[in-house]
């Protein structure tokens, strides 16, 4: 074979050497680069195992691949793809392309924890050479498909060597469409990464090619010329481009090392397979990116050295599956121009019709036109493997050939122009037939200005933007986006039911009673009348768990809520499981059921080293709410005790108080006895917060709301804690030891003293009057009021006093002090006291008059003088009557007295004492009520 290739490119070498001497004024580095490129092409062509260079998502590569597979009919196809993804490729027939093969790991072992979760994706479209190779190998009997690229584990192993981040670089601007994020933060494995790594080179090519971005340059100068070329021309040109970009790549040592290690890895795997199976290299085809095809590593070729050692995989457990992909996701992940993959799909369909090449499609796949039998028959009917013919020099003719003058397809361009005007009018643009003519002519004009024989889709896109969009965008989509949609749109793939992991299939089965097509993209409305169809309650349980596990838009409740101790009656949901299929599939990597996944996540959250008491209590509530698991709730509740004991501040007190109150109310109404963990939590929390209370009052970092929540926990849990053996002296000592300096905390302390009985209301009212009477303290009085408002959390009985204090402030504070404080009071109530505002509003409604006319004569209750005690009327001639009903029926009173342990005897009418009033004393003091009742009864 080596002898047959001698002198193949001698003529091209001589021409390039002469050109280098002419342009560089003598031999120098330019000659070495140009001749080195020819040597790389010659080196790859000489290899006995045929190398087929490709570019990812290139229609020209896909057409050349389909043509070559039918001509050569190889028995083994080596493919540049992660070797651990091989078992998934058979599931592609159950999917609608584009989809991505994914490796996923949630728990890492051997990698930095902050990298978790690890994800590697390899997107596959129909207009790609690798899909043609996969379809040929899987549907042709006797053909073996071997993936030879590094495993998913080695992808991160080699990144770890340079201590670099595992994730790809984020784009400058996030994609606007949701489909652009279908791959998430996964590392992309791209077959045929063919783009200049030398920024100046790419800028030079774009400038002289009169294009805006790399995708347009590739379409104009590679896709179109290679679309109709023969195999040898295609192969040599792709090897030439790969060698050029490789030799002009910047000196990134880590990236170069990874590229070379990948090449060593792949050739090592291929030689191992050849040695194990005894396959003739002439019967094999190696499909790889053009960048790797022009390799000069020592391990290159079937006769290369075997010095490369493949490191063992880490202990990380990898899960594999298929996830939906989209054109926008591929463009966003690999830095392609928006709409380029859609245009490539359109070019692919056009090339198939023009060249009449029969592409390979997996039998049974959505969109396949032939069954498996027909596909096999087509391959079998093809001509046998062509006899090996020494390739000739095709590069010289290709490089010297002028651009082919492809005549203008006026019908196609006119159809585009009419269609874009129709789409623009549907989206609010004032477009007309004149605009269609303008777009048609402008496209031809732009192509001529850019030295193109015919307008490309990119020329048409620029012309449409110029002629239709002008200066405004009336709708959600601009004209550029409309052109992308017209060229094929952002096709979103779909993973079929059979290819879903067990968890996803279980979710679809359990939601089957809803009667919805959950595989479809878009939002669907689900109505659950659980009262009339109790079996739908199981669907409700699944939906609430999905809402907890999936992104917000996947399952969104419209009507209905889930609270502790409540049963659903009717619910309404907006479901988009087809749109969020990737998230549902990735749940399947974590477990076999959503209950298991939710259980694991709750445990992971609760036992995280950064978990707080409030976080653990939230996990307890979720375990009770969604899983109805008493065992898990008890376990996590016990762990909450340990977390609470380790906390040294009251930062989480508001959330702890809110959640423990809710859990306590639930257990008291639904359980015969309280769980032991919540009793221990009340007892431990009582002692714990008593210890932290004095420090919290003086700590500047502790807010008033946090201290109020601490007091709220102590007062609300006091009865339960005392019944479990706690001593109230702990709380009293903690209050006595508290000496706050901040006015709002001082007011909070006074409220606590009132609750404990250490301060009367009269004394508290006197303190407030003293503050209002002191000119030096008046500016700080609003801060005292803020403390009183927060005091409603631990001492709700002070609501009437807070209304009184606020009213006095409005009445007595000067405007320069009151007006600046009003916005602060409103924002404080909204942010930290929204649940306290209804208490104040209800109390103010009871206190203030309901009509404006009554306001002038209204006297506040706290300012009204107490009425003098009414003189008791003298007894009549029959003497004091007393409570005659009790005297007539003493049995009831005797029973109550015996129950209370009271001893006494009944007085007779004659022995009644005259030194104390007899009968109902209250009616004697306030006779108006009795008189009004008498008038009412008399009138009736």
């Amino acid at each position: 074979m080596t002898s047959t290739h001698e002198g193949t490119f001698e003529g091209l070498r001589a021409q390039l050497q002469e050109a280098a001497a002419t342009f560089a004024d003598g031999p120098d580095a330019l000659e070495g680069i140009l001749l080195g490129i020819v040597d790389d092409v010659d080196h790859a062509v000489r290899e006995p195992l045929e190398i087929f260079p490709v570019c990812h998502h290139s229609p020209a590569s896909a057409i050349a691949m389909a043509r070559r597979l039918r001509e050569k009919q190889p028995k083994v196809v080596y493919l540049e793809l992660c070797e651990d993804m091989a078992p998934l490729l058979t599931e592609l027939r159950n999917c609608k392309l584009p989809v991505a093969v994914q490796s996923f790991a949630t728990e890492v072992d051997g990698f930095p924890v902050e990298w978790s979760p690890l994800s590697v994706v390899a997107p596959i479209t129909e207009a790609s050479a690798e899909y043609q190779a996969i379809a040929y190998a899987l549907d042709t009997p006797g053909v073996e498909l071997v993936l030879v690229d590094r495993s998913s584990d080695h992808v991160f192993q080699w990144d770890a060597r340079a201590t670099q981040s595992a994730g790809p670089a984020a784009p400058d601007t996030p994609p606007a469409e949701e489909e652009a994020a279908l791959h998430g933060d996964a590392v992309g494995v791209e077959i045929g990464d063919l783009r200049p790594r030398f920024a100046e080179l790419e800028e030079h090519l774009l400038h002289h090619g009169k294009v805006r971005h790399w995708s347009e340059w590739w379409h104009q100068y590679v896709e179109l010329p290679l679309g109709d070329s023969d195999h040898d021309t295609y192969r040599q040109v792709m090897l030439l481009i790969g060698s050029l970009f490789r030799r002009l790549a910047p000196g990134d040592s880590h990236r170069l090392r990874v590229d070379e290690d990948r090449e060593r890895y792949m050739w090592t795997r291929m030689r191992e397979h050849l040695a194990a199976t005894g396959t003739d290299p002439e019967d094999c085809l190696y499909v790889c990116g053009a960048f790797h095809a022009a390799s000069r590593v020592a391990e290159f070729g079937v006769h290369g050295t075997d010095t490369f050692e493949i490191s063992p995989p880490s202990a990380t457990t990898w899960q594999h599956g298929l996830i939906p992909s989209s054109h926008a996701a591929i463009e966003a992940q690999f830095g392609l121009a928006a709409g380029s993959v859609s245009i490539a799909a359109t070019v692919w369909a056009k090339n198939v019709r023009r060249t009449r090449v029969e592409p390979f499609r997996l039998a049974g796949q959505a969109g396949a036109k032939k069954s498996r039998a027909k596909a096999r028959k087509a391959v079998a009917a093809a001509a046998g493997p062509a006899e090996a013919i020494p390739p000739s020099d095709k590069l010289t003719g290709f490089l010297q050939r002028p651009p082919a003058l492809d005549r203008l397809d006026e019908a196609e361009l006119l159809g585009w122009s009419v269609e874009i005007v129709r789409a623009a009018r549907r989206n609010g643009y004032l477009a007309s037939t004149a605009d269609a003519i303008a777009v048609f002519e402008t496209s031809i004009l732009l192509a001529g200005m850019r030295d193109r024989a015919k307008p490309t889709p990119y020329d048409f896109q620029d012309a449409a933007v110029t002629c239709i969009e002008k200066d405004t965008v009336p709708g959600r989509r601009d004209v550029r986006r409309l052109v992308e949609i017209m060229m094929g749109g952002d096709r979103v793939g779909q993973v079929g039911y059979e290819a879903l992991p067990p968890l996803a299939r279980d979710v679809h089965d359990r939601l089957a009673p809803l009667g919805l097509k959950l595989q479809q993209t878009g939002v669907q409305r689900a109505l659950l009348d659980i009262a009339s169809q109790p079996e739908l309650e199981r669907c409700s349980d699944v939906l609430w768990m999905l809402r907890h596990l999936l992104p917000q838009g996947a399952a969104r409740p419209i009507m209905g809520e889930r609270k502790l101790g409540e049963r659903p009656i009717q619910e309404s949901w907006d479901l988009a499981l087809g749109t969020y299929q990737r998230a549902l599939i990735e749940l399947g990597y974590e477990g076999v059921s959503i209950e298991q996944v939710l259980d694991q996540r709750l445990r992971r959250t609760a036992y995280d080293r950064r978990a707080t008491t409030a976080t653990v209590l939230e996990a307890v509530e979720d375990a009770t709410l969604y899983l109805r698991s008493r065992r898990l709730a008890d376990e996590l509740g016990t762990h909450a005790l340990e977390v609470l004991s380790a906390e040294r501040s009251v930062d989480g007190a508001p959330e702890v108080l809110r959640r423990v109150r809710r859990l306590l109310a639930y257990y008291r109404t639904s359980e015969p006895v309280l769980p032991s963990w919540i009793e221990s939590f009340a007892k431990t929390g009582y002692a714990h917060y008593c210890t932290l209370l004095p420090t919290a009052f003086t700590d500047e970092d502790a807010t008033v709301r946090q201290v109020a929540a601490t007091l709220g926990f102590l007062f609300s849990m006091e009865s339960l804690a005392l019944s479990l053996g706690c001593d109230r002296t702990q709380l009293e000592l903690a209050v006595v030891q508290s000496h706050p300096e901040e006015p709002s905390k001082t007011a909070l302390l006074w409220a606590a003293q009132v609750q404990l009985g250490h301060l009367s209301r009269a004394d508290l009212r006197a303190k407030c009057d003293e503050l209002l009477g002191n000119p030096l303290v008046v500016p700080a009085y609003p801060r005292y009021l803020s403390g009183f408002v927060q005091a409603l959390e631990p001492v709700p009985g002070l609501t009437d006093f807070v209304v009184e204090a606020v009213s006095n402030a409005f009445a007595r504070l000067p405007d320069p002090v009151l007006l600046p404080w009003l916005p602060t009071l409103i924002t404080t109530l909204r942010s930290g006291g929204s649940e306290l505002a209804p208490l104040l509003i209800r109390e103010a409604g009871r206190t203030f008059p309901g009509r404006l006319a009554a306001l002038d004569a209204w006297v506040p209750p706290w300012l009204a003088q107490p009425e003098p005690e009414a003189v008791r009327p003298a007894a009549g001639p029959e003497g004091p009557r007393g409570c005659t009903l009790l005297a007539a029926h003493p049995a009831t009173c005797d029973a109550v007295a015996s129950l209370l342990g009271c001893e006494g005897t009944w007085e007779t009418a004659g022995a009644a004492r005259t030194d104390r009033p007899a009968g109902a004393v209250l009616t004697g003091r306030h006779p108006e009520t009795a008189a009004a009742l008498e008038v009412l009864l008399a009138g009736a």
Side-chain angles (χ1 to χ4, degrees):
M1 176 65 70
T2 303
S3 61
T4 60
H5 289 272
E6 293 292 343
T8 302
F9 297 99
E10 289 303 325
L12 180 60
R13 285 192 179 92
Q15 294 184 34
L16 292 178
Q17 189 172 11
E18 181 181 353
T22 302
F23 288 106
D25 195 19
D28 61 354
L30 177 60
E31 178 183 354
I33 293 175
L34 295 178
L35 296 183
I37 292 173
V38 179
D39 291 339
D40 290 342
V41 175
D42 193 14
H43 180 63
V45 170
R46 290 170 182 264
E47 175 57 37
L49 195 159
E50 181 178 338
I51 303 173
F52 194 95
V54 300
C55 177
H56 196 44
H57 304 304
S58 167
S61 294
I63 289 291
M65 172 62 71
R67 183 188 293 115
R68 184 56 179 167
L69 288 173
R70 295 196 180 279
E71 293 174 355
K72 183 179 178 66
Q73 296 185 32
K75 297 179 181 179
V76 177
V77 177
Y78 297 112
L79 185 61
E80 179 194 330
L81 193 62
C82 293
E83 57 185 3
D84 55 328
M85 295 180 176
L88 291 173
L89 298 182
T90 57
E91 296 294 339
L92 287 174
R93 66 179 76 255
N94 298 318
C95 303
K96 176 184 175 183
L97 298 181
V99 296
V101 187
Q102 182 182 41
S103 299
F104 194 86
T106 53
E107 298 181 0
V108 298
D109 188 353
F111 303 108
V113 179
E114 57 270 15
W115 286 11
S116 178
L118 305 180
S119 181
V120 179
V121 297
I124 297 176
T125 63
E126 186 177 355
S128 58
E130 59 269 26
Y131 175 73
Q132 295 299 309
I134 292 171
Y136 164 79
L138 294 183
D139 280 352
T140 306
V143 176
E144 184 179 4
L145 178 64
V146 182
L147 306 187
V148 294
D149 200 2
R150 55 182 175 166
S151 66
S152 304
D153 197 87
H154 286 89
V155 171
F156 291 92
Q157 280 190 33
W158 295 352
D159 275 349
R161 294 183 309 191
T163 63
Q164 293 183 351
S165 173
D172 296 335
T173 56
E177 300 291 336
E178 292 182 358
E179 289 78 6
L182 284 178
H183 296 174
D185 297 328
V187 175
V189 177
E190 185 175 6
I191 300 176
D193 180 12
L194 205 56
R195 183 168 182 168
R197 298 182 182 177
F198 191 32
E200 287 77 4
L201 174 61
E202 182 172 341
E203 182 181 355
H204 177 82
L205 293 176
L206 298 183
H207 174 71
H208 289 278
K210 299 180 180 179
V211 294
R212 295 164 300 163
H213 45 70
W214 175 251
S215 299
E216 187 176 0
W217 186 93
W218 182 267
H219 177 271
Q220 177 66 24
Y221 294 100
V222 180
E223 283 293 332
L224 297 181
L226 291 181
D228 297 324
S229 62
D230 60 274
H231 170 65
D232 288 339
T233 302
Y234 166 82
R235 186 182 178 199
Q236 293 175 22
V237 170
M238 292 295 287
L239 289 171
L240 173 70
I241 297 174
S243 176
L244 174 66
F245 292 166
R246 189 184 187 96
R247 288 183 175 273
L248 295 182
D252 186 346
S253 59
H254 171 66
R255 186 170 184 179
L256 178 61
R257 181 182 177 186
V258 169
D259 289 334
E260 292 181 347
D261 283 351
R262 289 180 66 185
E263 294 154 6
R264 296 186 179 101
Y265 193 107
M266 289 187 285
W267 281 109
T268 300
R269 289 301 192 204
M270 284 187 283
R271 283 195 299 272
E272 291 176 354
H273 181 268
L274 291 173
T277 61
T279 307
D280 187 355
E282 293 291 339
D283 296 331
C284 302
L285 186 67
Y286 172 34
V287 182
C288 68
F291 189 90
H292 299 293
S295 175
R296 304 295 293 189
V297 296
E299 291 79 3
F300 180 90
V302 294
H303 302 297
T305 60
D306 290 321
T307 58
F308 183 70
E309 295 183 2
I310 299 176
S311 60
S314 68
T316 299
T317 301
W318 289 89
Q319 304 286 338
H320 299 86
L322 295 170
I323 62 173
S325 183
S326 68
H327 292 171
I330 297 172
E331 293 160 358
Q333 185 167 7
F334 299 114
L336 304 176
S340 59
V341 179
S342 298
I343 293 175
T346 302
V347 174
W348 156 257
K350 185 177 180 180
N351 287 349
V352 169
R353 292 191 301 268
R354 187 183 72 252
T355 61
R356 299 185 182 277
V357 173
E358 183 180 0
F360 292 93
R361 292 187 178 93
L362 288 171
Q365 188 166 37
K369 298 181 180 179
K370 294 182 179 294
S371 64
R372 177 177 299 184
K374 292 182 179 180
R376 291 179 178 176
K377 182 177 179 181
V379 176
E387 184 179 353
I389 301 175
S392 59
D393 178 12
K394 301 287 186 172
L395 282 178
T396 303
F398 181 84
L399 295 177
Q400 293 180 346
R401 185 177 63 199
L405 296 178
D406 188 7
R407 68 180 186 85
L408 173 64
D409 189 346
E410 294 187 358
E412 180 187 55
L413 183 58
L414 186 60
W416 287 355
S417 302
V418 173
E419 184 62 30
I420 190 59
V421 169
R422 182 183 294 113
R425 295 185 66 176
R426 285 197 302 264
N427 285 268
Y429 289 91
L430 298 178
S432 63
T433 305
D435 293 306
I437 299 173
V439 172
F440 180 87
E441 298 294 342
T442 306
S443 300
I444 299 175
L445 177 63
L446 288 177
M449 294 173 61
R450 295 166 179 174
D451 296 331
R452 298 173 185 173
K454 59 176 292 186
T456 66
Y458 299 98
D459 296 325
F460 171 76
Q461 189 178 54
D462 292 342
V465 172
T466 303
C467 299
I468 297 177
E469 188 169 294
K470 300 178 178 66
D471 58 345
T472 59
V473 179
R476 185 169 59 94
R477 299 186 178 99
D478 58 10
V479 174
R480 189 174 302 279
R481 177 63 179 147
L482 294 178
V483 173
E484 294 172 8
I485 295 174
M486 189 191 71
M487 291 292 176
D490 183 18
R491 298 181 186 173
V492 180
Q494 189 178 73
V495 179
Y497 176 85
E498 294 78 6
L500 292 174
L503 180 144
R505 291 200 300 267
D506 179 62
V507 168
H508 283 270
D509 293 341
R510 294 167 67 177
L511 294 180
L514 298 179
L516 301 177
K517 297 180 180 179
L518 300 177
Q519 289 281 77
Q520 292 183 353
T521 58
V523 179
Q524 301 180 71
R525 178 63 57 88
L527 303 176
L528 286 73
D529 188 0
I530 302 174
S532 60
Q533 295 178 282
E535 65 274 9
L536 294 181
E537 186 174 355
R538 297 182 179 180
C539 296
S540 174
D541 295 339
V542 174
L543 292 175
W544 282 108
M545 285 187 281
L546 290 177
R547 179 179 181 269
H548 187 80
L549 295 171
L550 294 180
Q552 184 177 5
R556 186 167 61 94
I558 304 301
M559 181 184 70
E561 60 181 352
R562 175 151 292 200
K563 292 183 177 180
L564 290 174
E566 295 184 2
R567 306 295 295 182
I569 299 176
Q570 287 183 335
E571 292 180 353
S572 176
W573 290 79
D574 275 352
L575 301 180
L577 297 184
T579 304
Y580 292 88
Q581 193 180 51
R582 166 183 166 265
L584 181 61
I585 290 173
E586 290 184 350
L587 285 183
Y589 300 151
E590 302 181 41
V592 296
S593 67
I594 53 177
E595 288 83 1
Q596 180 186 3
V597 174
L598 183 56
D599 182 288
Q600 292 174 354
R601 289 196 179 183
L602 291 179
R603 292 178 187 274
R604 191 182 306 122
T605 302
Y607 287 95
D608 188 86
R609 58 184 179 85
R610 295 168 294 183
T612 62
T613 306
T615 305
V616 181
L617 289 178
E618 182 181 5
V620 174
E621 187 174 347
D622 290 340
T624 305
L625 197 60
Y626 300 116
L627 297 176
R628 298 190 177 97
S629 174
R630 176 66 182 274
R631 174 191 53 81
L632 179 60
D634 290 348
E635 177 187 341
L636 299 181
T638 304
H639 179 64
L641 289 172
E642 303 174 4
V643 178
L644 177 66
S645 302
E647 290 184 348
R648 294 295 177 263
S649 67
V650 296
D651 294 345
E655 189 70 12
V656 170
L657 174 62
R658 184 171 64 89
R659 295 195 177 277
V660 78
R661 275 179 175 174
R662 195 154 54 211
L663 287 169
L664 190 59
Y666 167 73
Y667 286 126
R668 279 174 171 167
T669 56
S670 62
E671 300 286 345
V673 294
L674 291 177
S676 58
W677 76 265
I678 201 167
E679 292 183 347
S680 301
F681 190 90
K683 183 177 179 180
T684 304
Y686 188 83
H688 179 73
Y689 282 125
C690 281
T691 304
L692 296 179
L693 186 61
T695 305
F697 267 114
T698 57
D699 188 3
E700 295 181 356
D701 296 331
T703 64
V704 182
R705 185 168 180 262
Q706 293 170 352
V707 179
T710 304
L711 288 171
F713 183 93
L714 293 172
F715 290 149
S716 60
M717 297 290 127
E718 184 177 16
S719 58
L720 179 58
L722 296 182
S723 67
L724 296 174
C726 291
D727 190 355
R728 195 169 193 261
T729 308
Q730 290 180 286
L731 178 57
E732 294 179 346
L733 290 176
V735 173
V736 171
Q737 294 172 357
S738 300
H739 304 287
E741 298 180 357
E742 209 272 329
S744 58
K745 292 183 180 179
T746 302
L748 199 59
L749 178 62
W750 291 344
Q753 292 174 347
V754 171
Q755 179 71 10
L756 292 175
H758 297 171
L759 188 68
S760 65
R761 287 205 172 200
D763 296 335
L764 183 60
R765 186 175 288 107
K767 287 180 177 292
C768 293
D769 291 339
E770 182 180 354
L771 293 175
L772 286 174
N774 189 344
L776 298 178
V777 185
V778 164
Y781 187 74
R783 298 167 64 187
Y784 285 94
L785 287 184
S786 299
F788 283 129
V789 171
Q790 294 294 334
L792 296 181
E793 175 70 49
V795 192
L798 284 180
T799 306
D800 57 339
F801 177 81
V802 175
V803 172
E804 173 186 343
V806 173
S807 301
N808 287 336
F810 275 82
R812 298 175 58 179
L813 285 178
D815 289 347
V817 176
L818 181 62
L819 294 181
W821 170 68
L822 286 179
T824 304
L825 175 64
I826 295 173
T827 55
T828 300
L829 287 176
R830 283 184 176 180
S831 60
S834 57
E835 68 279 2
L836 305 175
L839 297 176
L840 294 176
I841 294 173
R842 283 197 299 268
E843 184 62 30
R846 288 192 293 263
T847 303
F848 293 96
R851 297 183 177 277
L852 185 62
L855 186 61
D856 294 335
W858 176 75
V859 178
W862 53 87
L863 297 180
Q865 295 294 330
E867 297 183 0
E869 182 177 348
V871 180
R872 182 171 57 90
E878 66 278 6
R881 300 174 60 185
C883 298
T884 56
L885 189 61
L886 288 179
H889 304 281
T892 303
C893 189
D894 290 340
V896 175
S898 176
L899 182 63
L900 298 177
C902 299
E903 297 181 358
T905 58
W906 288 91
E907 294 181 353
T908 61
R913 296 175 56 181
T914 59
D915 57 341
R916 60 184 181 184
V921 180
L922 191 61
T923 57
R925 294 180 179 177
H926 304 282
E928 295 85 359
T929 304
L933 181 60
E934 180 182 7
V935 173
L936 180 62
L937 294 177

